[in-house]
Structure formats: structure tokens, C-alpha cells
Amino acid sequence: MLWCAWSVAAAQPASVTLKNIRHDYQALNNCAPVTALTLLGYYGTQVTQAQAASAMKDYPGDPQVTSLELAAYLGRGGLQSVIRYAGDAELIRALVARGFPVVLQQRLQTGSNVAHFRTVYGYSAGQFLISDPLLGPSLRLSTAQLMTLWQYYNGEYLVAYPPAREAEVRQILGADFSAAANWQHLKLHGEQEVKARPKDPYAWWGLAKAHLRLGNVRAATESFDRAVSLGVPTMYYLYRQEAFEAWTQAGEHQKTLDVTQRALRVFPNSKELVGFEKLASAALRKAMSSLILLAGTRRASSGD
């Protein structure tokens, strides 16, 4: 299967810088609202950081806005979005060359556990031009730097576009425009990544997520368990909860409870963590009640 329509690559210019890229320096934990105003502004809709933050955050100071929440807010501004994985440098160039800024979710910097949205709006030989809500409107990363920071989130990218331009996005993404095909792509990518870096928990996480979305819960839980055993930092669970989904589907609720309770000591107001903690607690209470009832029934039948 051809994952992307790279026949367009030969016609790409050697360097591109998109115009009308609006930037604002973020307030604390506001990289998603700034990213929203950058994309909306590029396509002609003006919003402020405060307006975007008010609409996207669950409460003032909410440290986590997901890619799905960002896409939903952009939809209110008239843009469609696709969120995909296993992206690479050539794909970014192809999109930017056709006039589409690309949002990447990366780690903030090498060694940091903070997830961060960045918008790529230009490229030249061996480097990319990026609007970074924290580091400024003209951050330049080499291809190697960009790919290293991107591994943290398994090459996750978001492309937003006016509905009338969907055909262009479809052409550039090729098979990856289909979410189902992209999960297959991420699975193959993940298998290559864990082979190349078997001690990288984020590589195992990406493979696990692909298994989960493809419906292979057992393989997903095994890969998530490997990621956790290799040392996923507590902060990671604030941004990604797919392991809890897999453990819930597999009935392994104690794993979810243990991890969410640990993470909630650091991030007590995370609605995602609270939701999975409640779900696991309820499932474990139900299981315990069933065991007590079964034990009582057996005692009664034995005449004790």
C-alpha cells in the first residue's frame, strides 16, 4: 500500500515560507490556544488567546488540551482537521509547499516531559521554520532535531483546512487520509521503532496505540505494559490515556487505578485522569461485590 502521494515531492520548491502566520507568546499551559489563533488567523478568522483558552480549557489553568479538543475548536471556526500519526519530514514539506501549516505535537525540548504544540509554516535545506507559542515566531529546527522531539508523540500531526480544500489534503496524505489506514501505518512504523529502539517507552506506546485502535486489545496491553515497565514518566499520563482504555477493555482495572491515583497526586484536576480513576474504582467494587455474593451463595448451598 502507498501511504502517501509522494509523486508531488519532485515539484516542491527548495524553500517555502507561508505568509500571514500570526503568533502570540503563550500564557502558562496555553500552547493549544495560541496554536488555534495561529491557524485560524492564517485562514482569516481572528481570535485572541484569551478567547481560545476560555473555549478550550475545562477551567482556568487546565494544563491539558488534547489534539481532539483543538480540532473541535478549529471546527467552530469553520476549519476541518485531520489528526494522524507516523508523520515524517517529507510529509511536512509536501503540506507546507501546498499552503497548509502543520501542527506537530512534540516534547518541549530534549529531556523534557512536557508535551507541546508547534506550527510548521516553512522549510529550507535541512531545516524547518516554526511558530512556537513559548520560544517565538521564528524557531528553526534541523530535520534531526524535529524528528527527535517528534518521537515522543509518535509523529502526531494535525492539518486544518477549509472544507473546499479537502481534495488537496487527500492527495497529499494519500492512504493516510483514512484513519484506519493510518493506524496500520502507525503499527508498521511502531514495529520498526521498537526494533530500532527496544528500550524506548514512547516507541512501545505508539505501537500499543496502533494495536488498540485496530482492535487488538491483547497486543495493545502487552505493548503498553512494556512501555510502563521501561519508565513512562507520570506527566505522560496527563497527555495520553490510551493505556487506560486498553486496560479497561481487558478488565485489568487495578493497573488503571494504580497509575491514575499516582498521576492524580500530581495533577488532581485532570478530568481525563479522574474519569478513568472513577471507572476503574467502580469496576473493582463491582467485581468485589460479585465475589462476596458468590462466596455467600456457596456457603449457603453447603449448609454452613
Side-chain angles (χ1 to χ4, degrees):
M1 176 180 290
L2 292 176
W3 295 110
C4 297
W6 295 133
S7 60
V8 300
Q12 290 171 21
S15 65
V16 172
T17 300
L18 301 181
K19 306 302 181 183
N20 301 319
I21 296 296
R22 187 177 167 211
H23 180 272
D24 194 9
Y25 282 96
Q26 70 172 77
L28 182 64
N29 295 320
N30 258 16
C31 66
V34 170
T35 299
L37 73 83
T38 297
L39 289 174
L40 288 169
Y42 176 74
Y43 289 110
T45 300
Q46 302 300 315
V47 298
T48 68
Q49 181 177 169
Q51 288 171 331
S54 177
M56 298 168 71
K57 289 177 169 286
D58 297 317
Y59 54 89
D62 180 5
Q64 160 67 334
V65 174
T66 68
S67 298
L68 290 172
E69 290 172 323
L70 172 58
Y73 180 71
L74 295 173
R76 291 166 57 180
L79 300 179
Q80 293 181 193
S81 299
V82 292
I83 301 166
R84 298 293 183 263
Y85 294 83
D88 59 27
E90 192 58 42
L91 172 61
I92 297 173
R93 293 188 188 98
L95 286 162
V96 171
R98 293 284 287 273
F100 298 103
V102 185
V103 177
L104 311 183
Q105 191 157 59
Q106 301 180 310
R107 67 193 320 165
L108 178 61
Q109 58 191 17
T110 302
S112 170
N113 293 323
V114 175
H116 194 56
F117 287 116
R118 294 184 164 104
T119 303
V120 182
Y121 67 97
Y123 67 84
S124 56
Q127 68 176 7
F128 291 89
L129 180 61
I130 295 168
S131 178
D132 186 302
L134 186 63
L135 301 178
S138 302
L139 175 68
R140 295 183 184 273
L141 293 178
S142 70
T143 301
Q145 289 172 320
L146 180 138
M147 295 303 296
T148 297
L149 295 171
W150 212 6
Q151 289 172 354
Y152 185 73
Y153 262 94
N154 312 118
E156 179 183 326
Y157 60 96
L158 180 151
V159 185
Y161 53 90
R165 299 190 67 187
E166 181 174 301
E168 295 175 71
V169 177
R170 283 181 176 272
Q171 180 190 23
I172 298 166
L173 296 190
D176 272 323
F177 190 84
S178 161
N182 185 245
W183 293 128
Q184 276 299 147
H185 185 182
L186 180 61
K187 176 178 176 290
L188 295 175
H189 178 77
E191 290 169 346
Q192 295 168 353
E193 291 287 281
V194 299
K195 184 177 181 180
R197 302 191 310 280
K199 294 185 179 181
D200 182 347
Y202 312 114
W204 283 101
W205 195 284
L207 178 59
K209 180 165 182 169
H211 281 309
L212 178 64
R213 298 298 181 239
L214 290 169
N216 193 339
V217 176
R218 180 175 179 180
T221 57
E222 290 173 353
S223 293
F224 280 125
D225 289 349
R226 180 71 68 89
V228 172
S229 70
L230 286 169
V232 176
T234 299
M235 180 172 281
Y236 203 69
Y237 300 108
L238 174 66
Y239 306 122
R240 304 189 89 171
Q241 293 86 40
E242 297 94 355
F244 307 144
E245 294 180 47
W247 293 335
T248 298
Q249 292 183 36
E252 299 179 11
H253 305 293
Q254 190 62 51
K255 291 180 182 178
T256 295
L257 188 64
D258 291 343
V259 175
T260 54
Q261 288 185 340
R262 183 173 78 244
L264 282 167
R265 287 195 287 270
V266 183
F267 311 106
N269 295 321
S270 166
K271 72 177 187 302
E272 293 86 4
L273 293 172
V274 168
F276 278 107
E277 191 272 340
K278 288 182 177 178
L279 187 65
S281 294
L284 289 169
R285 285 195 300 270
K286 183 177 180 180
M288 182 59 69
S289 297
S290 297
L291 288 174
I292 292 172
L293 180 61
L294 179 61
T297 301
R298 287 176 175 174
R299 284 196 299 271
S301 63
S302 66
D304 291 343

